[in-house]
Amino acid sequence: MSDGAMDKLKGKGKEAVGKLTGDHRKEAEGKTDQAKGGAKDTADGLGDRAKGVKDSLRRDDDAR
């Protein structure tokens, strides 16, 4: 499980506990953790795409 997915899961749990207990701060922390997890997933995806572009450019150079 990726770091982003773990943050999202942890955030969902915090948000749920916050809603059940009426703790608005805990609920907000959960939403923040979920957003942080989404950002990590996006950053990981961008890194993978950049690597793919780099690899495809390297293949184009090798073909010449």
Side-chain angles (χ1 to χ4, degrees), residues 10-47:
K10 180 175 73 171
K12 285 183 186 276
K14 277 186 182 180
E15 184 181 4
V17 168
K19 282 182 180 179
L20 286 172
T21 61
D23 185 345
H24 299 293
R25 176 177 240 155
K26 183 68 70 181
E27 188 177 344
E29 285 177 13
K31 289 179 182 182
T32 300
D33 286 346
Q34 290 178 64
K36 185 170 56 169
K40 283 182 182 179
D41 285 345
T42 299
D44 287 346
L46 290 175

